[in-house]
C-alpha cells in the first residue's frame, strides 16, 4: 500500500522489506553506522539479492541531523537506517 508524499506515491520501507524477502529468499540486508555524533548519523546500507552472488550488491547512504525534524528529535539514527535501506531498494527497483 502506498501513501502520498509531496504528491507522489510512496511505499513504506517496511513493506518493501517484506517484498524483498519474498522476491529474494536468499538475499541479505546489511547496515553499517559510518559516522555518529550528538548532531548527526550517517548510515550505509547494502542489499544483496542473492548471497551466493556477491558481485550484485546495491548500496545506499543516508544522513540525518539530530533534531532537524520531529522524528529526528528522538529517532534520527533509525530514520537514517530506514532511509539508507530504502535507497538500496530503489536501486533494485523495489
Amino acid at each position: 500500500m502506498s501513501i502520498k508524499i509531496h504528491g507522489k506515491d510512496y511505499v513504506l520501507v517496511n513493506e518493501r522489506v517484506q517484498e524483498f524477502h519474498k522476491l529474494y529468499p536468499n538475499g541479505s540486508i546489511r547496515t553499517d553506522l559510518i559516522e555518529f555524533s550528538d548532531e548527526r548519523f550517517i548510515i550505509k546500507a547494502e542489499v544483496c539479492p542473492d548471497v551466493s552472488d556477491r558481485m550484485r550488491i546495491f548500496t545506499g547512504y543516508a544522513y540525518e541531523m539530530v533534531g532537524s525534524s520531529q522524528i529526528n528529535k528522538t529517532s534520527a539514527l533509525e530514520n537514517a537506517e530506514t532511509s539508507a535501506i530504502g535507497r538500496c531498494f530503489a536501486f533494485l527497483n523495489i
Side-chain angles (χ1 to χ4, degrees):
M1 184 171 95
S2 64
I3 62 172
K4 292 279 188 191
I5 297 181
H6 303 293
K8 295 181 181 179
D9 289 331
Y10 178 81
V11 178
L12 297 174
V13 172
N14 67 326
E15 293 179 37
R16 289 186 276 160
V17 168
Q18 292 173 31
E19 184 67 14
F20 173 78
H21 288 302
K22 284 182 206 171
L23 293 171
Y24 305 104
N26 198 36
S28 70
I29 301 168
R30 177 183 170 168
T31 60
D32 291 307
L33 182 59
I34 301 299
E35 182 180 326
F36 68 96
S37 69
D38 291 340
E39 300 173 355
R40 67 180 176 201
F41 295 99
I42 298 174
I43 299 288
K44 175 185 176 183
E46 292 181 339
V47 169
C48 180
D50 185 347
V51 295
S52 66
D53 180 6
R54 299 296 297 170
M55 295 301 293
R56 190 166 183 241
I57 295 176
F58 299 83
T59 304
Y61 287 87
Y63 165 93
E64 294 292 343
M65 294 292 295
V66 174
S68 63
S69 67
Q70 188 64 34
I71 191 74
N72 283 351
K73 288 181 181 178
T74 60
S75 303
L77 172 61
E78 296 89 335
N79 195 20
E81 184 176 46
T82 300
S83 295
I85 293 169
R87 292 180 56 77
C88 291
F89 288 153
F91 298 138
L92 186 55
N93 202 30
I94 295 178

